[in-house]
Amino acid sequence: MGRRRRCRVGPEDATRALPEAIAALSRTLPVGPSPEIFRRAKFDCPEAAPALWRLLFRVLSPGPADGASASLSLEAQARWVKSALHSQGYPSRALAQLPDNGSQGSRQLLLALAWLLARGPLLEQLLAQGRVRLGDEMPVCECEALANPGPPAPGVEEVSGVDVRHLQWLMGKLRFRWRNLMASQQEQCALLGQIHLYTRGCHSNRSLGHLSVTETELLRDPEGGRQLLQRLESENARLEAALEWRRRQLVFWRWMDTVLGACPPEATFLPRIHEPGARALEPVARELHALREQLRGAVEARRAAGAAGAGDRRPEWSAARRALRQAVGQDLAALQRAWERGGGLTQPHGPHRLVRMEAGAPRGPGLRAPEVIEALRTQEAHLEAVLRRLQGQCRRELARLARALPGLIWIPPPGR
Amino acid sequence: MLPAGCSRRLVAEVQNALDSCAERQRQLERSLRVSRRLLQAWEPTETPAPEPTPRPETNEEAQFSACTPSPQDLKELELLTQALEKAARVRKHISKAGGDKAPSLKSEAIATSPASRTSAPAQSSRRAGSHTSQTKPPRSIRQTRFPAKNLPEHRLLSAVDATCKRGGAQAVKPDPGLRDQQTVPSAAAQAPEAFMLKDKGTLLQLPVAFRKAASRNSRLWAQLSSAQTGDSADAAASARTQFLQKMQTASGWPSASEVEAEVGRLQKACSLLRLRMEEELVADPEDWAQEQRCLLTLEGLQALVGQCLHRLSELRTASVEQPEGSRPGGSPPRGGGAEPVRSPQPLLYSSTRELQTLAALRLRVAMLDQQIHLEKVLMAELLPLVSQPAALGPSWPALCRAVHSLLCEGGERFLTVLRGDEPDD
């Protein structure tokens, strides 16, 4: 009897379910405000605003929360949040009009949070960002490194004009840093190999077999181990809250519809015409144009060569030509798919936990190093070819310029 | 001298590259520190003893007197070591079973050594509690070095000093009179040896609490990343899309991050198209069919390039209409890895050499990526400068030489420029 009543979602059930859902959400979020804040935000109470600004800041910043970004004033955080939402394409302009001091707009902020939650797996991504890493991880692709470019360089506005030698010096410095990096990396791999070897057979999980550096470290330093355990347990709590949120979220979305309804309709807002954000498009545009020219030349050459003896063959070969056209069409469609879709998952992706294993035993899941090495070698070869092509292009261009000026003799550098 | 705008952009780009390199180096150094420390002898950490113990003193005698064992301790010690021996025997047969008798690595490490019968100071101290304090890692038992019998007394003394130095009343408090116990001398003698991962690494065992938390963690992650099915999931998904639609006022405008994503796709398209074109250009068609195929492919590629350019111009007009938001300090995370997030999969390697090759290749690919990017940037900025020799005047050859080295030789080699003027006489 009681069950039947509970199945019908009456208003009493809704009032119970909603705070629980919001509580689950709040436990999952990194600096989750209390359900009370959420309720106040629906009614646009100003005291709920600062907490929500801070939450949005934390949610939108890339990378782990560090002291530097946390110490930003509320105003700075509010400004940052506004521009971050804008660049993500947040559709409502009302938020952009909120004052910077972070004192107002809790309802708008609540809507923004809901928008972010609805768009994608925000919670999962947040959890993954701050994930406790227990294994020795090595990424097999560069995606993560590209997505988190690290702290931005301070503005170099003060540079007036530099000598090209300064540039040469900087490039040399870069080369040196890479060499250093490679050497350190080799050392680290050697050490890892040793540690894995020495701790073989220790792990409770048989498929892993040996301890990772983190795990060994926690045995060496129990204080650190206690902290690691704490972090692990709090992550577990957040994961459980996330799972609970998943189960309960429906009632939250219904509630958000009411919040949206409570908003006054937005006034239209003329977009400001700014300098086009077309800077990023320039390099690609240049490349595509260059490619088009090359293709045009190649096609014309082939056509001219082929036109010579084509006339008499037309009748028999038209069927063959149709078949060819079809085959080529499919070929090119597959090519197009390779960039249209989120980039083929043909390549191994993401961080992997290093596991040392005897060469003989073929174990089940997971990538094998030789395969990854192969994939990386092909990638390396491809990139080297691209670089050589670019360098060749420059060489030809500079040679052309040099020829234009007689009276100078250019002697290329010795040896290759 | 390069013009101001150009300089600023170039320096910013190279500085960016330098910073990302530095960041990687920092992370590596951190890991290196930890790893190196693990492979050295593990220092015992000072844990607070239940009763105040003397800090390490140089006075030998004072130490010795402070470490006088009580008969009760020694008796407990003996009982314990017998229990541990038994555990060691059992453990030898059952590889890695449970181990609750000796829940941490200390006792394991010490117990398995036949010569050890030792105090297992940490373990016994945990159990006994009274006079004993905790020591951290087990003393490594080098059985080859210290034979269990006939230890000279001075060695015993020094061993005692060493253990006492390590901060606290030890369970190993050998009274030279109690020589009949084999255990004590060997333990004491071996006590100054610190734990070496190389020797005793295979005896380590993770604490139970940690194991539980870790397995719960991986289970929860698996649950979280598993595909959600069922009515409630569908209902929630449709509620979300409805909400999004209601929020979306007018804009079909692409946001900055979408533009970025699109540019990335176009870039990828460009390189794939180029690759394909080069393949076709290199191929030597032998018969008419192959020729036709080649031609058709090239035409098809041309059409695709046209499509890309069209898309590009669409993007251009769209970004004119939209106000350019100021980029925040770090670019916000893209709409995302559509890939499900989960615990990392294992990557199996079989030798250190293999691992090193893998890591080196990965870095090399990253470096090449960066080099190509910088090459394009440099080309875009420097080639226009150099193309106007007249504007630069007498410094043009020098600039040209520098640019050639940067662009064509990766900054590593230089060409020589000679003036071909007639010598004056």
Side-chain angles (χ1 to χ4, degrees), chain A residues 60-181:
Chain A
L60 288 167
S61 358
D66 56 349
S69 50
S71 62
L72 281 180
S73 69
L74 184 60
E75 229 182 280
Q77 289 186 358
R79 268 198 301 270
W80 195 95
V81 165
K82 278 195 213 171
S83 67
L85 280 173
H86 177 85
S87 68
Q88 291 229 14
Y90 185 60
S92 161
R93 289 173 221 105
L95 192 131
Q97 293 174 299
L98 289 173
D100 274 348
N101 59 9
S103 60
Q104 285 181 39
S106 50
R107 187 188 292 143
Q108 285 300 324
L109 294 172
L110 181 59
L111 287 173
L113 178 67
W115 183 79
L116 288 169
L117 276 172
R119 249 180 23 140
L122 179 71
L123 295 174
E124 286 84 345
Q125 281 168 1
L126 285 173
L127 285 166
Q129 253 178 23
R131 179 168 55 95
V132 171
R133 285 149 210 260
L134 294 174
D136 297 319
E137 293 187 4
M138 173 163 293
V140 294
C141 62
E142 285 296 301
C143 304
E144 211 169 282
L146 289 173
N148 299 337
V156 281
E157 298 300 326
E158 60 275 6
V159 171
S160 50
V162 294
D163 196 307
V164 71
R165 280 172 295 186
H166 180 71
L167 207 57
Q168 286 172 326
W169 175 72
L170 283 176
M171 294 292 283
K173 197 164 147 185
L174 185 63
R175 277 199 304 283
F176 181 65
R177 279 199 188 169
W178 273 108
R179 271 206 295 276
N180 256 354
L181 198 59

Side-chain angles (χ1 to χ4, degrees), chain B residues 46 54-58 63 67 160-168:
Chain B
E46 305 275 354
R55 298 306 281 163
E57 294 163 16
T58 48
Q63 283 175 12
C67 298
V160 173
D161 294 343
T163 52
C164 284
K165 267 203 190 72
R166 292 233 169 84

Side-chain angles (χ1 to χ4, degrees), chain A residues 139 142 160 162 177-178 196 201 217 246 294 303 349 353 355 357 367 369 380 384 395 407 409 411, chain B residues 2 4 18 24 36-37 96 217 224 274 299 339 345 347-349 362 364 370 408 410 416 418 420:
Chain A
E142 285 296 301
S160 50
V162 294
R177 279 199 188 169
W178 273 108
H196 292 174
E217 178 69 11
R246 259 196 204 170
Q294 271 183 288
R303 274 209 196 114
H349 209 58
R353 177 172 176 152
V355 175
M357 216 150 258
L367 285 178
E380 182 196 18
E384 277 177 349
R395 210 170 274 128
I409 304 174
I411 305 175
Chain B
L2 304 170
L18 280 167
R24 281 188 208 243
R36 281 187 200 128
R37 202 170 46 194
K96 295 198 60 60
N217 187 275
L224 198 65
R274 178 175 287 283
E299 284 175 347
E339 286 205 30
Q345 299 285 71
L347 170 55
L348 309 170
Y349 73 98
R362 198 180 65 84
R364 182 134 173 84
Q370 194 188 68
C408 310
T416 325
L418 292 179

